Amino acid sequence: MELGKKVFLLSLLLLLLIVSCVYKHTKELVDITPIIIEEKVIVDEPSTNEPIVEEEIEEEQTNEVVSLQIEPNDEMSKEVNASVTEKITKIEEEIKEPKEIILKRIDEGYRRSNGELFYIDLSSKAKEIQDSLYLLMKNEPFEFTKNGIDYITKNDEMLSKIVKIMNENKNLKFEIAGHVSIKPDEEKYNTYISVMRAANIKKKLISLGISKNRMKARGYGDKIPLSQDDIKLFNRIEFNIIGE
């Protein structure tokens, strides 16, 4: 074959190949274009009606589920109310009737002289009077000015009860025992305050007609606290029967 024909044929084949490639790629582009346009229509231009309907349906379903969860039946409601009522009643009872802390009295450490009696030596009648005095003083303690020693009129009602017991039992003799712990680890100071408080109460009783020979005023500082477990009560006045 002549060279000219060969060149012509090769050129024709090359042209056909180019046309075929262009046609193929053009077809692919044509096939893809509708998909892209369709996606744009879906994404960029959403329907204004259907999504709203879907949201409303979802919201209604959610509300229905929540409603089912928080609405107990009558039986469950009664059980819950009964449990709550029982707890409230129990708390109210504990508030009305709290556990009483009974502080134990320790008689060791009290001074006795010239035939004076301890509690253990008293007659049964004197012990009953002593017990009533002890409870009276524990439930209605004497009050003084802060760090003070002077008798205050606030104690008059309490003192009148003591005077009544003394007048009804003229054979009895009493120790007015002061107990104080104002300054820890300062024994002399606490003892002084406790003695002076007892002495001032004795003076008040004398002014009310009680014989001074029936009373001894003593101070014990912080040596004899009332105690119960870890609880200790220091500051108080006691009337102890020491003779009958």
Side-chain angles (χ1 to χ4, degrees):
M1 186 179 289
E2 295 181 2
L3 180 62
K5 289 182 179 180
K6 289 181 179 180
V7 171
F8 175 77
L9 287 173
L10 289 172
S11 299
L12 185 60
L13 288 172
L14 181 61
L15 180 61
L16 288 172
L17 180 62
I18 291 170
V19 170
S20 175
C21 289
V22 169
Y23 176 79
K24 182 180 179 182
H25 287 293
T26 303
K27 187 178 180 181
E28 288 177 358
L29 289 171
V30 170
D31 292 340
I32 291 171
T33 302
I35 296 172
I36 294 173
I37 292 170
E38 188 176 349
E39 286 178 354
K40 285 182 180 179
V41 169
I42 292 171
V43 175
D44 296 339
E45 296 180 5
S47 173
T48 56
N49 294 325
E50 292 182 0
I52 293 173
V53 172
E54 289 174 1
E55 286 177 3
E56 288 176 353
I57 292 170
E58 288 178 2
E59 189 173 348
E60 288 175 3
Q61 290 174 347
T62 304
N63 289 337
E64 185 177 355
V65 171
V66 173
S67 175
L68 288 172
Q69 289 176 347
I70 63 174
E71 288 182 6
N73 57 37
D74 292 340
E75 216 174 300
M76 186 185 299
S77 180
K78 286 178 183 177
E79 288 179 5
V80 170
N81 290 336
S83 176
V84 171
T85 304
E86 186 180 347
K87 286 179 181 177
I88 292 172
T89 304
K90 188 176 180 181
I91 291 169
E92 286 176 345
E93 287 175 355
E94 287 176 356
I95 293 171
K96 289 178 183 176
E97 299 179 5
K99 277 191 174 182
E100 184 181 2
I101 297 174
I102 302 173
L103 295 169
K104 295 178 182 176
R105 178 175 172 175
I106 303 171
D107 285 330
E108 293 84 357
Y110 287 91
R111 297 192 294 275
R112 296 291 179 262
S113 62
N114 299 324
E116 294 173 354
L117 305 175
F118 284 96
Y119 178 83
I120 195 171
D121 303 317
L122 299 176
S123 64
S124 58
K125 182 182 178 181
K127 282 181 179 177
E128 287 180 11
I129 297 170
Q130 179 64 81
D131 291 341
S132 64
L133 279 168
Y134 174 66
L135 289 174
L136 182 64
M137 302 303 299
K138 188 165 74 72
N139 295 329
E140 300 181 47
F142 277 97
E143 295 184 28
F144 299 86
T145 55
K146 187 177 180 181
N147 297 349
I149 59 176
D150 295 328
Y151 177 88
I152 57 177
T153 56
K154 191 174 181 180
N155 299 313
D156 285 351
E157 184 178 350
M158 171 64 185
L159 197 65
S160 66
K161 296 176 183 179
I162 303 293
V163 170
K164 185 174 184 294
I165 292 172
M166 287 181 154
N167 286 332
E168 289 175 352
N169 300 275
K170 293 186 180 293
N171 62 311
L172 299 180
K173 293 183 179 181
F174 299 86
E175 172 194 54
I176 305 169
H179 300 273
V180 169
S181 179
I182 295 175
K183 293 185 179 181
D185 302 322
E186 291 195 25
E187 182 179 346
K188 288 183 179 179
Y189 179 83
N190 291 327
T191 301
Y192 167 76
I193 297 296
S194 64
V195 170
M196 293 306 297
R197 286 183 175 182
N200 284 333
I201 290 176
K202 181 180 177 180
K203 286 180 183 177
K204 181 67 176 178
L205 287 169
I206 292 170
S207 72
L208 294 173
I210 305 297
S211 171
K212 65 178 181 180
N213 295 324
R214 295 180 61 197
M215 298 178 287
K216 290 281 182 73
R218 290 176 177 146
Y220 293 94
D222 57 1
K223 296 302 179 186
I224 313 174
L226 295 177
S227 64
Q228 177 68 44
D229 299 326
D230 294 331
I231 300 171
K232 292 187 184 298
L233 175 64
F234 292 94
N235 301 313
R236 68 193 190 279
I237 294 289
E238 288 182 0
F239 279 77
N240 299 319
I241 298 172
I242 59 174
E244 57 178 324

